[in-house]
Amino acid sequence: FVAAGFVAAPLAGMAIQSGLKNLLDFDERRRANQVMCAPLNHKLSPVLSPAVEAIENAIQDPFCGIYVHWGPFGSGKAVALQDLTLIMRSKGHVVKYLDAQDTDVLTIENPKFTDWLLSDPGLHFGRFKSFLPSSKIGPTVIIINRFDYFMMKPRAKAVIKAVLLSALENQNFKIVLGITRCDDALEILKWNGGEKIRIAASAGCGRWGIDDIIAIAAFENRLKRLKDEERAEIIRLGAVSGSPSVFHEMVFTGPNVDLALMSHQEYAEGIEKLNSI
């Protein structure tokens, strides 16, 4: 009986430890699920950026890794990626949108990328495999917009590469990085080592065309009060720029050829660079 008691005590202790671990694991999974699926403070846009459909189609690829979405400042990346989040969630996907320049990040003095990346989705370091919420439709998607902000932060590159390795090994999540500077997008693609990091859809998938500009023009009441010639020129130059922000600015300031051509040139140079790799 004594011998049996000595055996039973350690087994009981192990059972208690196992039960506590399972309870903690369950609590962590529940917390991660709540944070990952928390409502997004964004209303679906009446006119979607062409990037939304393009990126959604691109990340339906079985490839689990990192997708880079580049677009110049004012090209509508933030709105497009938030619209993408809402649309994919409505179809049953688990998608988390993060912005490196959210107020809570900017108020932290020199935030560590590691802590931010893992705490915002409700995870802890090394727990992507076990605790990342998933859906039956497909792998979880984590969107990080304005990743440029963290490019020079300590260990940002190392953490992204570690997360990438986890995605490749476990095949249960993908990451989309929103990038404003073309040179930053090129640098990230050079972290590649193969095709583990790739452009989402195409380099210029977020460029607005004439049909897109005409569609958003219908929602601009101020534009309706302008003369036909001026209204037509603003719409034309909006399409030349490829940028909804440039179009909106011209609605208030009038046609601006230089501004439209500057945006057009930035798109052209960025597309050429990214297509060359």
Side-chain angles (χ1 to χ4, degrees):
F1 293 102
V2 174
F6 277 110
V7 174
L11 289 176
M14 291 172 61
I16 291 172
Q17 289 181 351
S18 177
L20 287 172
K21 182 180 182 302
N22 290 337
L23 185 62
L24 291 172
D25 287 354
F26 174 79
D27 185 63
E28 187 167 349
R29 286 192 185 94
R30 182 177 61 181
R31 175 178 176 272
N33 188 69
Q34 289 174 340
V35 175
M36 285 285 291
C37 300
L40 182 65
N41 185 23
H42 175 75
K43 186 177 181 180
L44 191 67
S45 305
V47 178
L48 297 177
S49 164
V52 175
E53 182 178 2
I55 298 174
E56 182 182 8
N57 290 337
I59 61 178
Q60 297 303 319
D61 189 290
F63 168 74
C64 282
I66 293 178
Y67 295 79
V68 175
H69 173 47
W70 165 79
F73 179 80
S75 59
K77 289 186 303 301
V79 174
L81 293 174
Q82 289 178 87
D83 283 339
L84 175 64
T85 300
L86 294 181
I87 289 171
M88 292 193 70
R89 281 184 172 186
S90 72
K91 296 178 181 179
H93 292 272
V94 175
V95 185
K96 178 67 175 178
Y97 174 85
L98 302 172
D99 193 317
Q101 288 193 315
D102 276 348
T103 306
D104 59 339
V105 181
L106 295 176
T107 54
I108 302 173
E109 186 177 352
N110 194 28
K112 292 182 179 178
F113 177 73
T114 309
D115 297 339
W116 175 81
L117 174 60
L118 299 174
S119 64
D120 267 44
L123 304 170
H124 295 301
F125 191 74
R127 301 297 189 113
F128 270 88
K129 177 180 178 180
S130 303
F131 296 96
L132 197 67
S134 60
S135 77
K136 295 179 180 179
I137 294 180
T140 294
V141 178
I142 299 176
I143 297 172
I144 307 175
N145 190 35
R146 288 187 269 245
F147 179 69
D148 318 57
Y149 178 73
F150 274 116
M151 285 286 288
M152 302 305 294
K153 295 291 181 182
R155 289 185 51 76
K157 177 180 177 180
V159 172
I160 280 292
K161 292 183 77 171
V163 169
L164 170 61
L165 183 61
S166 179
L168 292 168
E169 288 179 348
N170 302 307
Q171 296 291 301
N172 65 338
F173 70 96
K174 309 176 181 192
I175 289 183
V176 177
L177 300 178
I179 307 292
T180 298
R181 293 184 65 252
C182 181
D183 288 344
D184 286 341
L186 286 168
E187 182 180 341
I188 293 168
L189 291 167
K190 290 176 183 177
W191 298 349
N192 202 343
E195 289 200 359
K196 306 179 186 82
I197 303 176
R198 58 177 65 172
I199 287 288
S202 63
C205 71
R207 195 181 192 287
W208 289 58
I210 185 65
D211 291 339
D212 306 306
I213 297 296
I214 290 173
I216 57 172
F219 293 89
E220 288 286 357
N221 291 325
R222 183 182 178 87
L223 193 65
K224 297 173 184 177
R225 297 195 294 268
L226 301 178
K227 293 181 179 180
D228 291 345
E229 295 80 2
E230 186 176 11
R231 181 167 61 248
E233 182 65 357
I234 289 173
I235 291 174
R236 184 187 75 81
L237 290 175
V240 169
S241 73
S243 165
S245 295
V246 171
F247 165 74
H248 285 305
E249 182 174 338
M250 290 191 294
V251 169
F252 286 89
T253 62
N256 188 325
V257 175
D258 290 340
L259 183 63
L261 289 177
M262 186 184 304
S263 177
H264 172 83
Q265 185 66 20
E266 189 172 2
Y267 256 121
E269 290 177 357
I271 291 171
E272 183 179 4
K273 285 182 180 180
L274 292 171
N275 284 340
S276 68
I277 60 174

